[in-house]
Amino acid sequence: MDETHAEQVVVDRLLGPQAVPLRLHQGAYVDEAEVAELVEALAFLVQAYRGRTMVPKPIALALVDISARFENRFYTQEQQERLEDIAHELQRLAEELFDLSG
């Protein structure tokens, strides 16, 4: 994976017309592979941006209030817990991405 591809994955999966949070709210199917690719891309960007003081605006926008977008009240308790785990991991990566000390 390269930086451009990783950025595109994060933006597509979080902001695009087929964004994971949007589909979750609609009750549509979300493939675990898409979520895994999103987490992998964001983890890649954390490393790629390490030491930089700027993050591209689309990436910052994609990560605004990330945890609130991974909810669906129609899912089972087990599914909702999985979504919460995903949201927490994405939030952790976002915090690491924006950490200016690293």
Side-chain angles (χ1 to χ4, degrees), residues 10-100:
V10 169
V11 171
D12 287 349
R13 298 285 188 270
L14 293 177
L15 295 177
Q18 293 296 316
V20 172
L22 179 63
R23 293 193 334 235
L24 287 172
H25 287 288
Q26 294 172 342
Y29 174 74
V30 175
D31 185 357
E32 285 284 328
E34 289 179 83
V35 174
E37 184 182 32
L38 169 59
V39 171
E40 177 186 355
L42 188 52
F44 178 89
L45 291 177
V46 166
Q47 296 305 314
Y49 296 162
R50 190 165 304 273
R52 297 186 195 176
T53 57
M54 305 273 287
V55 172
K57 190 184 282 188
I59 299 301
L61 179 61
L63 297 172
V64 170
D65 201 21
I66 189 71
S67 63
R69 293 187 280 155
F70 276 76
E71 298 174 353
N72 185 312
R73 61 188 166 108
F74 300 109
Y75 280 27
T76 66
Q77 183 65 31
E78 182 179 323
Q79 290 170 316
Q80 188 58 43
E81 288 173 6
R82 174 73 178 123
L83 290 176
E84 288 174 14
D85 290 344
I86 292 165
H88 287 258
E89 177 63 8
L90 292 172
Q91 193 170 24
R92 184 193 68 75
L93 288 167
E95 288 171 8
E96 192 173 338
L97 181 72
F98 294 114
D99 179 10
L100 293 177

